[in-house]
Amino acid sequence: RVIKSAKIVVATDAERGSIDDAVSANGDDGNHQYHYHDTCHFEIIGQAFLWHQIRCIVSVLFMVGKGLESPDIVDHLLDVETNPGKPSYPMADELPLVLHRCSYGGTDGGDRVPFRRSVRDLWRVACDLEKRWEEMTLAAARLRDGLDSLLIEATVTRGDLETYVREILEERRKKSRRTSHGNLLLTDRRDESTAGARATSSVISWGDALREIDSRLGVRPTPEGQKEPLHIPLLQRSR
């Protein structure tokens, strides 16, 4: 099972999120500004794949991307003499997984098995894909409009925000006491120099509230919801 190439393909400017999603991280060239809703994909080319191999690879890379594991975890896991067994961890979701192309050729990359396709068949497939693309694009646009509208139109009180931050911190402290492995921020990263200015505003927009929660707790709304499971380092997990 040989992996011939692998890369992460980042979204184009046209696919990138709104300005409200901009974050401070820069690319390798120092010029690229990433966005919270960027769409990226892993492109992996191999001679063959083991059962669930890609989902396991992506799951570990997600942990690295979230800062839960260091990049050298990949080298440690591939060292079968030191780590002969696979740690227990959930695989990445199968929904985005796509077997994009199969080729049956030699080292020159050419396909030695010819496939015949008729115009009528390709037309039918193209029409079906266009229909599904349109439906999903419109659905995504409606959801995106809902998210963007919340940022501007919805408001919360300052007191409710402070209560939420205290509750999250208390939940994290309780979790940290149940295990010696902690990956959650246990203190409020509140900027005391601007606390007085923030206190003068009793109502703030949801967009401002999200930015403050992110700066103080290091979290944003995710598909996983509010749960924040403690991360046990992979090398310390059962096999």
Side-chain angles (χ1 to χ4, degrees):
R1 305 297 188 268
V2 179
I3 298 295
K4 296 183 177 180
S5 66
K7 62 181 178 180
I8 300 176
V9 182
V10 184
T12 64
D13 290 337
E15 299 167 333
R16 192 156 291 123
S18 65
I19 297 301
D20 290 315
D21 292 326
V23 295
S24 59
N26 292 321
D28 294 336
D29 56 3
N31 297 320
H32 178 77
Q33 188 175 40
Y34 292 101
H35 294 258
Y36 179 63
H37 283 117
D38 270 1
T39 301
C40 311
H41 69 265
F42 296 91
E43 182 179 295
I44 302 176
I45 301 175
Q47 179 265 334
F49 300 109
L50 297 172
W51 182 249
H52 294 324
Q53 179 181 358
I54 300 302
R55 293 175 62 188
C56 290
I57 291 174
V58 172
S59 180
V60 173
L61 293 180
F62 278 165
M63 296 178 199
V64 174
K66 293 176 181 178
L68 303 176
E69 296 284 347
S70 61
D72 62 1
I73 186 63
V74 176
D75 294 328
H76 289 305
L77 294 177
L78 291 176
D79 185 356
V80 295
E81 293 185 358
T82 305
N83 300 288
K86 171 183 170 296
S88 176
Y89 58 85
M91 295 183 295
D93 193 349
E94 77 276 7
L95 181 61
L97 182 62
V98 177
L99 179 59
H100 190 70
R101 180 182 298 110
C102 292
S103 62
Y104 304 90
T107 57
D108 58 355
D111 201 335
R112 296 182 179 178
V113 179
F115 291 93
R116 295 183 179 180
R117 305 176 178 90
S118 70
V119 172
R120 185 176 298 277
D121 289 341
L122 290 178
W123 187 275
R124 186 183 299 111
V125 172
C127 289
D128 180 64
L129 292 177
E130 286 284 353
K131 181 176 183 296
R132 295 173 63 184
W133 176 87
E134 182 180 90
E135 292 173 349
M136 294 182 180
T137 299
L138 292 175
R142 291 194 298 269
L143 294 172
R144 185 53 183 268
D145 180 66
L147 289 171
D148 289 344
S149 296
L150 283 179
L151 295 175
I152 302 172
E153 299 172 8
T155 59
V156 295
T157 64
R158 172 65 62 180
D160 188 29
L161 173 61
E162 296 298 330
T163 299
Y164 180 79
V165 171
R166 288 196 299 270
E167 290 176 349
I168 294 298
L169 287 175
E170 181 59 28
E171 291 176 3
R172 291 178 175 181
R173 294 187 184 105
K174 290 180 180 178
K175 291 179 180 178
S176 68
R177 287 195 289 266
R178 293 197 297 266
T179 177
S180 59
H181 308 296
N183 62 289
L184 300 176
L185 181 67
L186 302 179
T187 57
D188 187 351
R189 296 187 301 192
R190 179 172 180 171
D191 185 357
E192 296 298 337
S193 64
T194 60
R198 288 201 302 267
T200 61
S201 176
S202 60
V203 178
I204 60 175
S205 70
W206 178 236
D208 289 338
L210 281 182
R211 282 186 282 272
E212 185 165 332
I213 292 172
D214 187 19
S215 66
R216 295 170 65 178
L217 298 177
V219 293
R220 296 194 61 156
T222 66
E224 291 76 20
Q226 295 188 12
K227 63 179 181 179
E228 292 182 309
L230 283 174
H231 178 77
I232 300 176
L234 290 178
L235 296 181
Q236 299 178 23
R237 298 190 185 189
S238 61
R239 289 168 169 79

